Amino acid sequence: MSTTITWDDFEKVDIRIGTVVSAEPFPQARKPAYKMVIDFGPEIGQKKSSAQITVHYTAEELTGRKVMAVVNFPPRQIGPFMSEVLTLGFADEDGAIVLASIDKPAPNGARLM
């Protein structure tokens, strides 16, 4: 377990739900990954993200899928691609990433509370 944080610390991390608009392989990445465009609604708009999620997902099945991402990290250059948000997931037993998701509909841009 990590160090205990305060409620104020938690509120600094802006986690939102969005819909994957497009996903494509990212062959220039060191580890297999996809480049995605995610729609976070009118307040945040569309943002780009690179994610190492190729074990459990195809690019085709990612399009239209709801995902959660941290939207207030600074952009990060990954090879020739600028990743603007951190898509969230959990490592399975083998270390492959399973996307964090919701079990009921929520609008793009809704914040994790």
Side-chain angles (χ1 to χ4, degrees):
M1 193 162 114
S2 297
T3 305
T4 301
I5 64 171
T6 66
W7 183 256
D8 288 339
D9 293 329
F10 172 73
E11 285 186 323
K12 291 176 186 174
V13 181
D14 193 354
I15 300 172
R16 305 286 182 121
I17 194 81
T19 301
V20 178
V21 174
S22 66
E24 62 184 73
F26 185 10
Q28 299 92 341
R30 283 184 282 163
K31 296 181 181 179
Y34 293 119
K35 296 187 289 185
M36 299 182 292
V37 175
I38 306 168
D39 180 8
F40 291 99
E43 180 185 344
I44 297 169
Q46 293 187 355
K47 300 291 182 181
K48 297 182 289 183
S49 182
S50 174
Q52 297 173 1
I53 53 176
T54 60
V55 172
H56 292 296
Y57 308 96
T58 66
E60 294 77 22
E61 68 185 329
L62 287 169
T63 302
R65 182 184 182 93
K66 293 280 192 176
V67 294
M68 295 192 302
V70 177
V71 298
N72 65 333
F73 280 139
R76 183 173 175 196
Q77 189 75 42
I78 302 172
F81 185 76
M82 183 64 74
S83 188
E84 300 173 297
V85 298
L86 175 66
T87 304
L88 299 175
F90 300 92
D92 69 10
E93 295 166 344
D94 298 319
I97 302 302
V98 176
L99 289 169
S101 63
I102 57 175
D103 64 355
K104 301 280 188 255
N108 288 343
R111 186 172 182 169
L112 179 70
M113 304 304 246

